Amino acid sequence: MPAKKKRYRIGVMGGTFNPIHYGHLVTAEEALYQFKLDKVIFMPAGKPPHKRDSEILPPEERYLLTVIATASNPDFVVSRLEIDRKGLSYTIDTLLELHQIYGPRADLFFITGADAVWELLTWKDADKLLELTEFIAATRPGYSLEKFKKLHVLPEGKAGEKLRPKVSIMEIPALAISSTDIRQRVREGRPIRYLVPEGVASYIYKCGFWKD
Ligand code: NAP
């Protein structure tokens, strides 16, 4: 009997990464371990669909910071798919492209913040998204998982039935770190050392980001 071909498990770490920090890196590493992934592809959003924020760095800068942050980990790679695509960065377009690239033997796991996942049903082609991938929702400590499950990610009724088997929740203590707090710290001249990799901090200071 021919040997059964191995399936390929790919994590897709979606986020704005404005900037990337240790909370994101710990999340990706934990997903790699818990879900036995073969690798994690960091996917900085080119134009995030639900955001109109003047504080967002240009896509190339967020991409570069993500490359710097992940350089030392052989299981992490960074994709330019959303950076290079024109228009808003819809997750459905990204997942369809990844399916084309990796073929039918790949299982995709979309990893992102729980706050984003809770709005999943409002995303473009939500039904199709739920067919194409599983979601790993990372939460900060102190987030009430019960409340979260009941009220947000897993609503009662038909929508809940669709979402329930497709969303896993992963609590990540390091997500006490947030990009918003890092930008605020930079603006106020407070330290960001040990919150982001050294190379990321150096590049932020060198370019004078969020200094007004
Ligand atoms: P966001 O609203 O900026 O983030 C929501 C929360 O999740 C924030 O607390 C954020 O913390 C955290 N977070 C974001 N990415 C994370 C990650 N990979 N791991 C752990 N925590 C994370 O979310 P966003 O960045 O705009 O969107 C997240 C992903 O969902 C992106 O890939 C985006 O393209 C996708 N999305 C798609 C659609 C669509 O297709 N219509 C709509 C909305 C979002 P930090 O601020 O510290 O990162």
Side-chain angles (χ1 to χ4, degrees):
M1 206 167 73
K4 211 172 156 195
K5 289 202 177 136
K6 182 186 179 292
R7 294 197 64 77
Y8 199 43
R9 296 167 70 84
I10 302 174
V12 182
M13 181 76 174
T16 306
F17 303 130
N18 188 47
I20 189 160
H21 52 65
Y22 276 125
H24 298 129
L25 295 168
V26 170
T27 299
E29 184 68 13
E30 189 61 24
L32 193 80
Y33 170 74
Q34 281 194 25
F35 292 81
K36 297 185 172 49
L37 305 178
D38 292 292
K39 67 172 169 180
V40 175
I41 303 174
F42 282 71
M43 188 66 66
K47 279 195 187 162
H50 286 188
K51 277 211 166 123
R52 301 283 176 270
D53 188 341
S54 58
E55 281 202 317
I56 301 183
L57 295 178
E60 277 306 333
E61 301 290 18
R62 289 183 285 106
Y63 168 78
L64 198 53
L65 287 169
T66 308
V67 170
I68 293 170
T70 54
S72 63
N73 189 328
D75 296 321
F76 291 174
V77 291
V78 188
S79 170
R80 293 190 58 89
L81 273 187
E82 293 194 358
I83 301 287
D84 290 339
R85 194 191 302 137
K86 291 202 168 56
L88 294 176
S89 303
Y90 291 112
T91 301
I92 185 72
D93 300 333
T94 306
L95 293 176
L96 286 171
E97 273 193 71
L98 289 173
H99 263 289
Q100 284 221 317
I101 294 168
Y102 289 100
R105 288 223 328 272
D107 293 322
L108 301 180
F109 296 80
F110 192 81
I111 311 157
T112 196
D115 286 347
V117 173
W118 122 25
E119 308 207 321
L120 213 160
L121 291 174
T122 67
W123 295 12
K124 187 181 167 203
D125 291 342
D127 281 358
K128 180 83 183 150
L129 267 178
L130 290 166
E131 282 170 27
L132 287 178
T133 187
E134 294 196 21
F135 286 85
I136 301 175
T139 67
R140 299 198 149 91
Y143 215 103
S144 162
L145 289 186
E146 276 320 301
K147 192 174 153 209
F148 178 69
K149 279 184 203 170
K150 219 169 162 186
L151 295 182
H152 306 302
V153 170
L154 306 176
E156 297 302 327
K158 235 179 163 189
E161 281 160 36
K162 270 193 236 161
L163 281 173
R164 219 173 303 272
K166 287 290 192 163
V167 179
S168 304
I169 294 160
M170 199 170 63
E171 199 176 55
I172 305 289
L175 273 180
I177 303 171
S178 82
S179 300
T180 308
D181 178 53
I182 288 165
R183 295 194 300 272
Q184 185 68 21
R185 281 170 170 272
V186 172
R187 253 192 308 273
E188 293 171 0
R190 287 153 65 213
I192 58 169
R193 196 188 228 176
Y194 308 126
L195 299 176
V196 299
E198 240 176 84
V200 168
S202 304
Y203 192 76
I204 288 173
Y205 292 135
K206 181 174 163 183
C207 298
F209 295 146
W210 306 299
K211 269 292 179 194
D212 303 327

